[in-house]
Amino acid sequence: MADKRMSADEVAAEVRDGMTIGIGGWGSRRKPMALVRALLRTPVRDLTVVSYGGPDVGLLCAAGKVKRVVFGFVTLDSIPFDPWFGRARETGSIEVTEYDEGMFAAALSAAAQRLPFLPLRAGLGSEVMRVNPGLRTVRSPYADGEELVAVPAQELDVALVHLNRADARGNAQYLGPDPYFDDLFCLAAKKRFVSVEKVVDTAELTGPVQSLLLNRSAVDGVVEAPRGAHFTTAVPDYGRDERFQKHYVACAKDPEAWPGFVDRFLSGDEARYLSEVDRFEAAA
Amino acid sequence: MSATRAEIAVVAVAELFRGDGEIVASPMGYIPSLGAKLARLTFEPDLLLSDGEAYLINADGVVEGWQPFRKMLDTIVPHGRRHVVMGANQIDRFGNQNISAIGDHARPAKQLLGVRGAPGNTANHRTSYWVPRHSRRVFVESVDIVSGVGYDNAAKAGLKYHDVHRVVTNLGVFDFATPDHSMRAVSLHPGVTPEEVTAATSFDIDLSSAVTSREPTDEELRLIREVLDPKGLRDKEVPS
């Protein structure tokens, strides 16, 4: 029986310059932030980041690790815009592939199904087709003859996702209401890493069987990372830390304040991060 | 009882859903969500309402369905039994909407959300827009990045399910029921003059057939004030 437990830093060490990494979750919801924070501590660069984007994208942009973002949106949900993503776009320091949300899902689905593309109506008539000049259309071979977008498969080198529970072998469970697209990210990737709030015995993966989103064949490494989605949501274990998120945004908008935020929260290891978060909470 | 501008807007959004029946209403923003709930509590009792997360809920918050983002994109949007009310940073005379970025896409002056679901929504099902501050910055000659598809681009692309219904703003209600599908005023809210709309819009809008937006009934006012928004947050989005 494979025991796939590993540390966040071991996961980060698997990511090489120029790789394409998919990051699960949605906006500022159930993001594998402990794994992202571990990535920030490595010298890796020139990443293509594929994400229904939230602060994962912002933090990687802030650290200069991003060459391209493949996205349908980047938002912090309760705060509309991520300042670091905005700055990276407005200074022209990153490239982007912008998709409609459904096109993004189709790109992951195509990769997961080992198809070159999936046909979709989304995108037709919009300027997604102009800003992604590589996109092609395909005509239905049937009597309707409809022209559709051929959304190309988005293969990933590495997928990083965060769920609530897993066993040491990589069977992983979400306990909140929404699976997001985490299984597709894993199926689209060559290497798949899941962080969880708690690693438990297989027999403790109780609850509706439908909540077992990932089976172990889709997982190469399991990281126990309590509060590993902080400051995004990991319901029902915890909701979004709105106060911390506001602090992140305030510091990200202020070039004077940002180095202090990095020093305090991002320069040490995960234990230091969580203890500083506790101190930040206590000071409220 | 005299209704505030915000309450007129809530009723105008509710009216977007009139006749929709048993479909998923997806209102984005506070006033749109009040409008959808008001429609469900009054003249459209079969509407399905999302809580903005993975649940479909009834007016009392009881869960009646599961609609995670994945299901939304895989089946609910393309299946078409949905009416979304989106925001718009820019909108033009043919109903093209932009929420992606301002300026050149390669290096925008201002990065916004990204196109989100707007291309797919407008390709697949009924879409309306809510603009809390009607201005020339929003109502532009041409949008910088077509996110939601307007009538001219839908025709060129041959979108057979394209259905941009209406735009509700703090000043009035607009549709595209003109021969060339350019924007037309359906109604102006009480106290709003045609000159005010003209001054706040960068392109010509047909104002010739605009009536006055209807006032809420007493029962609608009671629902808005006592049941749906007792804290009066609607006035923050649309001051009187």
Side-chain angles (χ1 to χ4, degrees):
Chain A
M1 296 280 181
D3 184 335
K4 297 176 187 164
R5 282 176 290 182
M6 56 198 295
S7 71
D9 290 324
E10 286 169 335
V11 170
E14 298 268 345
V15 178
R16 310 261 180 259
D17 289 358
M19 274 189 169
T20 297
I21 64 165
I23 303 179
W26 173 280
S28 190
R29 303 166 196 213
R30 221 178 65 215
K31 285 288 173 180
M33 297 297 281
L35 300 182
V36 170
R37 286 187 284 268
L39 261 185
L40 298 177
R41 294 191 293 268
T42 71
V44 76
R45 46 178 294 149
D46 290 332
L47 298 176
T48 292
V49 177
V50 180
S51 178
Y52 283 111
D56 51 332
V57 172
L59 284 167
L60 289 166
C61 286
K65 302 210 168 291
V66 180
K67 181 178 172 206
R68 173 179 293 274
V69 179
V70 180
F71 76 112
F73 58 79
V74 176
T75 180
L76 304 175
D77 294 313
S78 53
I79 298 173
F81 305 132
D82 180 282
W84 274 114
F85 177 66
R87 189 169 296 139
R89 287 282 284 135
E90 290 154 24
T91 58
S93 67
I94 57 168
E95 299 165 22
V96 293
T97 300
E98 182 164 355
Y99 282 146
D100 165 87
E101 293 169 5
M103 296 173 82
F104 186 109
L108 288 178
S109 287
Q113 295 172 50
R114 303 187 300 174
L115 291 170
F117 69 89
L118 279 170
L120 221 61
R121 280 198 191 85
L124 291 171
S126 81
E127 288 192 315
V128 162
M129 306 303 286
R130 174 176 68 84
V131 301
N132 295 333
L135 277 174
R136 296 288 176 264
T137 58
V138 63
R139 197 167 287 285
S140 164
Y142 298 103
D144 58 281
E146 187 174 351
E147 189 174 47
L148 298 161
V149 184
V151 182
Q154 176 63 64
E155 292 171 357
L156 306 170
D157 293 307
V158 172
L160 307 176
V161 302
H162 185 81
L163 275 66
N164 301 90
R165 303 286 180 271
D167 64 16
R169 305 169 74 189
N171 297 301
Q173 179 178 42
Y174 73 106
L175 298 173
D178 202 315
Y180 307 117
F181 298 77
D182 289 2
D183 50 337
L184 287 185
F185 277 100
C186 288
L187 293 171
K190 296 188 187 87
K191 285 280 186 89
R192 302 73 48 94
F193 301 103
V194 54
S195 59
V196 289
E197 291 298 313
K198 195 170 192 280
V199 175
V200 298
D201 288 338
T202 306
E204 288 177 53
L205 293 169
T206 54
V209 71
Q210 300 94 314
S211 65
L212 288 158
L213 187 66
L214 300 174
N215 75 57
R216 55 194 165 79
S217 74
V219 173
D220 296 295
V222 176
V223 177
E224 185 168 64
R227 289 194 279 167
H230 184 272
F231 48 90
T232 73
T233 63
V235 289
D237 292 307
Y238 46 87
R240 186 178 302 120
D241 187 339
E242 298 287 0
R243 183 168 165 267
F244 191 93
Q245 178 161 287
K246 277 188 192 145
H247 184 60
Y248 160 70
V249 167
C251 294
K253 281 182 175 172
D254 179 357
E256 307 264 308
W258 184 250
F261 183 93
V262 173
D263 280 349
R264 180 174 180 187
F265 293 107
L266 302 176
S267 297
D269 61 12
E270 185 71 4
R272 162 92 190 282
Y273 174 81
L274 292 177
S275 72
E276 288 301 321
V277 168
D278 287 339
R279 283 184 55 219
F280 178 81
E281 297 301 315
Chain B
M1 282 191 285
S2 172
T4 65
R5 182 63 62 80
E7 289 159 351
I8 297 284
V10 170
V11 169
V13 172
E15 285 289 341
L16 297 174
F17 298 105
R18 190 179 285 278
D20 276 355
E22 203 160 50
I23 69 159
V24 175
S26 290
M28 297 171 194
Y30 192 68
I31 294 244
S33 78
L34 290 178
K37 287 176 190 165
L38 183 66
R40 165 139 177 178
L41 286 173
T42 55
F43 54 81
E44 282 299 323
D46 291 332
L47 274 186
L48 289 159
L49 291 182
S50 157
D51 73 337
E53 302 281 337
Y55 299 114
L56 291 169
I57 52 168
N58 73 14
D60 297 322
V62 174
V63 175
E64 62 168 321
W66 184 53
Q67 184 184 266
F69 291 115
R70 170 88 159 270
K71 198 165 160 179
M72 178 68 78
L73 297 181
D74 280 356
T75 50
I76 293 167
V77 168
H79 186 66
R81 292 187 56 77
R82 180 174 187 240
H83 183 173
V84 64
V85 183
M86 299 192 84
N89 296 93
Q90 294 179 324
I91 194 160
D92 73 15
R93 73 183 69 214
F94 297 116
N96 294 290
Q97 168 248 30
N98 176 23
I99 51 170
S100 170
I102 300 295
D104 176 12
H105 188 267
R107 185 168 173 177
K110 171 71 179 163
Q111 173 64 37
L112 305 169
L113 286 173
V115 297
R116 291 219 73 151
N121 292 342
T122 46
N124 284 300
H125 57 63
R126 181 165 274 195
T127 302
S128 296
Y129 297 107
W130 160 243
V131 176
R133 277 178 294 283
H134 192 131
S135 73
R136 283 178 174 259
R137 277 170 55 133
V138 177
F139 286 80
V140 293
E141 265 301 325
S142 73
V143 304
D144 293 342
I145 294 148
V146 175
S147 309
V149 181
Y151 280 89
D152 53 344
N153 285 311
K156 279 184 233 160
L159 288 178
K160 56 184 178 182
Y161 301 118
H162 180 263
D163 181 12
V164 171
H165 180 51
R166 286 181 172 186
V167 182
V168 178
T169 80
N170 59 318
L171 299 185
V173 180
F174 306 87
D175 71 7
F176 302 89
T178 51
D180 67 347
H181 294 291
S182 60
M183 197 180 288
R184 178 187 78 153
V186 175
S187 68
L188 304 186
H189 300 332
V192 174
T193 63
E195 292 73 27
E196 205 178 333
V197 174
T198 301
T201 308
S202 299
F203 50 86
D204 291 334
I205 292 185
D206 178 357
L207 291 151
S208 59
S209 54
V211 297
T212 303
S213 305
R214 84 166 171 89
E215 302 263 350
T217 64
D218 287 350
E219 173 61 4
E220 285 171 335
L221 267 188
R222 186 190 69 79
L223 287 167
I224 293 168
R225 292 177 180 179
E226 295 175 21
V227 178
L228 297 175
D229 186 31
K231 290 182 180 162
L233 298 179
R234 61 193 176 279
D235 296 323
K236 285 193 179 168
E237 197 160 40
V238 177
S240 289

